[in-house]
Amino acid sequence: MSLKNVLENFSYFRQDAESGGTHKYEHRFGMAIDLDICTGCNSCSTACYAENNLPVVGKERFEKGQAMHWMRIERYWDEQEFEGDFAEQGAKFMPMLCQQCGAATCEPVCPVAATYHTPDGLNAQVYNRCIGSRFCSNNCPFRVRYFNFWSYYEDSWPEPLNMQLNPDLSVRDKGVMEKCTFCIQRIRVAKDTTQREERPLKDGEFLTACAQACPTNAIVFGDTMDPDSNVSKLWMKHQVQRGPFTHKKEKANEELRGYRVFEELNVDPSIMYLERVRDTEV
Amino acid sequence: MQVVKNSFLRDLIWSLRGRFRMKTLKQITSAMILVVAAVCLPATSFAELPVPSHIIPPTGEHVGEDVPQPIEFPHDRHVKDMKINCMYCHTYARRSKVAGIPPTSKCMGCHKIIATDKPRIQKLTEYWEKGESPRWKKVHDVPDYVHFTHEKHIRKFVEKADFPVEDVQQVCALCHGEVREMTVAEKKKPLNMGFCQRCHQANGGPGDCWKCHK
């Protein structure tokens, strides 16, 4: 980026991140997660462990908060329900994974530019470049970045189990930050196929491991830039749009259940959640 | 003319004699022959493969360590003398990530008949009769965190560029060195990030980190 380039295209480069920034997108992969049909069965999380070479860290490290699950099921109980040991209707579940923010807070704080925005609208993490400053993790409002405090690969996959490692993905070592990639290895394969066959990417041609494993199809994955994809249809149906946060929506229509987590922080998340409808409310 | 030329040569010889303290004419002439040979030989005997005009080649040299193979496979014999295309044996290069090592059956397709008296071929036949394949070692190995596909490079530089497939070794040589001069393949190019990146910049390849890093 030369000075001449900056001066000539000043109005382009001065766009702030909240209004889309200066990214030129080919795709913007996104999700719609329906919390009403999510049963909290954790199969998405398990699939993620299997797909992305995630180490199982053990009880003690888990308690210290060093778990490496790129995708976790968060549990919430309503206050008035939380009487006795367990709430009557059980917890609310929320699969929490990297929201692949359009204006990500993790990106500008990286001192070595190991995390950056790809033309697919993803927050990429380049493991080779990461020096482990952990700024990104501390700046993430969703707490979905995980740091390798130990060389987990040494004891996570004892002898025959190392054969299960996915070769399309590196095994991360100690001192490296890692996060959900929206299964970049699958995106890569799908893109290679489309390039070979000289056609655009079809909706549903590939899925992330979590979306594929979900038994109730609560997770819908796709390209939000493609207006015909299932995701964009859902986004439109629930009137959720990309871009900066404008105002808190009035709950005028019960049918509109869509929201994005921490939308008011202006991070432009790529995942839309659909609220859970409780029986008592109906 | 002859006289002038001779006198020029004589002058040269004598001046050399003075400069390098050479005593006999024999010493001087042998030195001159050496000089002439050093200038002319590389140009004649090691004719380099031409670089295809539509590619700006990546720069960088490397001396890799020896990778001993179970059978000392002579690439030079197959490529230079027999003029077999690289992709006849490394079939997968045009349709997959890896170029692939041919199955022993492909070797035996020819060597059931050809050169059966040679010790290497006899070793190969032993493997074949035991139903095993020689454990070939990988020479050009990129790190595990790198995603490299042969297919895309072949498509861009050969299929899309209308480059004749018969000359595909010119394209292969850009990253693999002149394999046709080697017996067992050696790593002659660094194949590191700078090497890839220089070529990507020059030829308009992707510059996105996640295109290659995984």
Side-chain angles (χ1 to χ4, degrees):
Chain A
M1 200 192 285
S2 65
L3 182 64
K4 195 183 159 207
N5 186 17
V6 174
L7 291 176
E8 277 175 3
N9 305 305
F10 189 64
S11 58
Y12 173 72
F13 284 119
R14 73 185 290 271
Q15 291 180 92
D16 54 352
E18 285 84 5
S19 55
T22 52
H23 302 301
K24 284 180 181 136
Y25 290 114
E26 293 167 21
H27 305 280
R28 288 193 81 172
F29 293 111
M31 271 186 188
I33 302 182
D34 195 337
L35 301 180
D36 200 25
I37 47 178
C38 171
T39 58
C41 70
N42 260 315
S43 51
C44 49
S45 184
T46 314
C48 187
Y49 266 88
E51 172 76 22
N52 291 308
N53 298 344
L54 299 186
V56 179
V57 296
K59 232 181 216 176
E60 281 161 30
R61 286 171 184 168
F62 197 102
E63 278 168 2
K64 284 182 199 159
Q66 296 175 359
M68 301 302 295
H69 42 38
W70 286 0
M71 180 159 201
R72 59 173 190 259
I73 304 287
E74 290 184 345
R75 301 170 300 168
Y76 295 100
W77 282 274
D78 285 345
E79 262 180 51
Q80 69 271 21
E81 285 173 13
F82 198 65
E83 286 164 3
D85 286 346
F86 295 99
E88 267 177 37
Q89 286 180 311
K92 285 178 177 176
F93 301 111
M94 182 181 225
M96 179 50 78
L97 64 159
C98 176
Q99 307 285 312
Q100 311 287 359
C101 309
T105 48
C106 52
E107 283 166 15
V109 292
C110 182
V112 289
T115 175
Y116 75 104
H117 216 65
T118 68
D120 295 340
L122 307 175
N123 307 126
Q125 177 75 22
V126 184
Y127 307 123
N128 299 79
R129 206 179 251 189
C130 180
I131 56 166
S133 71
R134 285 181 277 154
F135 290 154
C136 53
S137 162
N138 289 315
N139 215 32
C140 174
F142 305 97
R143 287 282 171 267
V144 285
R145 285 178 156 267
Y146 301 95
F147 187 67
N148 283 279
F149 283 96
W150 309 92
S151 294
Y152 296 112
Y153 64 87
E154 284 171 358
D155 45 8
S156 276
W157 298 285
E159 196 35 71
L161 289 183
N162 58 2
M163 304 299 279
Q164 78 180 15
L165 290 171
N166 188 349
D168 295 339
L169 205 71
S170 51
V171 177
R172 281 80 54 183
D173 201 352
K174 173 166 67 179
V176 166
M177 189 61 76
E178 58 183 65
K179 65 180 276 292
C180 166
T181 59
F182 267 7
C183 289
I184 177 65
Q185 64 278 16
R186 294 184 178 208
I187 297 178
R188 205 179 272 132
V189 169
K191 278 188 160 183
D192 285 0
T193 317
T194 53
Q195 209 180 349
R196 184 186 307 128
E197 295 171 5
E198 296 176 343
R199 59 175 172 81
L201 201 66
K202 276 186 282 192
D203 184 39
E205 186 171 339
F206 73 98
L207 291 173
T208 57
C210 50
Q212 192 188 359
C214 184
T216 56
N217 287 337
I219 303 173
V220 179
F221 174 81
D223 186 0
T224 52
M225 259 170 75
D226 170 15
D228 297 326
S229 68
N230 288 337
V231 193
S232 352
K233 278 179 192 160
L234 269 173
W235 280 54
M236 268 188 285
K237 190 181 160 197
H238 291 277
Q239 295 178 11
V240 176
Q241 280 154 5
R242 290 245 182 214
F245 178 72
T246 44
H247 60 280
K248 201 85 184 166
K249 265 188 226 98
E250 297 291 317
K251 282 271 278 184
N253 191 346
E254 281 288 313
E255 290 294 304
L256 298 182
R257 299 185 287 131
Y259 69 95
R260 293 187 291 172
V261 180
F262 291 153
E263 204 171 2
E264 60 276 13
L265 296 180
N266 256 345
V267 289
D268 191 12
S270 298
I271 299 182
M272 177 188 72
Y273 287 89
L274 299 175
E275 257 176 70
R276 186 176 180 187
V277 182
R278 309 296 297 253
D279 290 346
T280 47
E281 290 163 13
V282 174
Chain B
M1 281 307 272
Q2 198 63 32
V3 180
V4 176
K5 221 176 185 178
N6 273 344
S7 76
F8 166 73
L9 262 178
R10 201 167 52 223
D11 285 356
L12 188 72
I13 287 165
W14 282 113
S15 69
L16 276 174
R17 187 185 173 190
R19 193 161 292 175
F20 297 106
R21 310 215 170 145
M22 289 173 184
K23 288 201 178 110
T24 59
L25 198 66
K26 205 177 168 189
Q27 265 183 328
I28 294 162
T29 44
S30 61
M32 283 186 80
I33 287 167
L34 269 178
V35 168
V36 169
V39 172
C40 299
L41 266 180
T44 53
S45 68
F46 306 108
E48 277 188 18
L49 272 178
V51 173
S53 59
H54 63 292
I55 307 176
I56 304 165
T59 52
E61 295 301 323
H62 178 83
V63 183
E65 62 236 36
D66 279 346
V67 183
Q69 302 286 1
I71 298 170
E72 200 194 335
F73 178 83
H75 276 95
D76 50 357
R77 196 94 181 92
H78 290 80
V79 183
K80 206 158 103 188
D81 304 345
M82 302 301 159
K83 302 210 164 26
I84 298 173
N85 195 300
C86 304
M87 291 203 291
Y88 175 74
C89 297
H90 302 289
T91 335
Y92 309 113
R94 61 178 172 277
R95 52 192 161 99
S96 118
K97 269 176 81 171
V98 290
I101 283 169
T104 320
S105 59
K106 185 155 247 170
C107 308
M108 290 312 289
C110 296
H111 284 299
K112 254 186 188 154
I113 301 154
I114 300 170
T116 44
D117 54 328
K118 302 280 168 65
R120 287 170 190 159
I121 305 298
Q122 279 160 359
K123 208 171 164 189
L124 180 78
T125 321
E126 257 174 55
Y127 275 109
W128 173 246
E129 278 162 2
K130 270 189 281 178
E132 285 173 14
S133 17
R135 296 285 179 97
W136 302 108
K137 303 242 173 57
K138 203 165 180 181
V139 177
H140 295 91
D141 195 12
V142 289
D144 286 349
Y145 49 77
V146 175
H147 168 86
F148 175 85
T149 52
H150 276 88
E151 181 203 358
K152 280 189 169 185
H153 291 84
I154 295 285
R155 196 185 309 126
K156 180 179 164 75
F157 291 124
V158 181
E159 289 170 20
K160 289 276 176 199
D162 281 332
F163 188 73
V165 185
E166 304 83 68
D167 299 336
V168 77
Q169 58 162 316
Q170 296 175 15
V171 178
C172 302
L174 298 177
C175 299
H176 291 287
E178 296 221 9
V179 179
R180 64 168 191 173
E181 304 288 349
M182 307 169 192
T183 50
V184 170
E186 296 161 46
K187 195 173 163 188
K188 291 280 188 190
K189 301 279 176 177
L191 299 189
N192 53 19
M193 186 166 150
F195 180 78
C196 297
Q197 195 59 34
R198 280 194 291 277
C199 187
H200 272 223
Q201 273 176 357
N203 295 297
D208 187 37
C209 309
W210 260 10
K211 277 271 158 30
C212 308
H213 282 280
K214 60 184 192 184

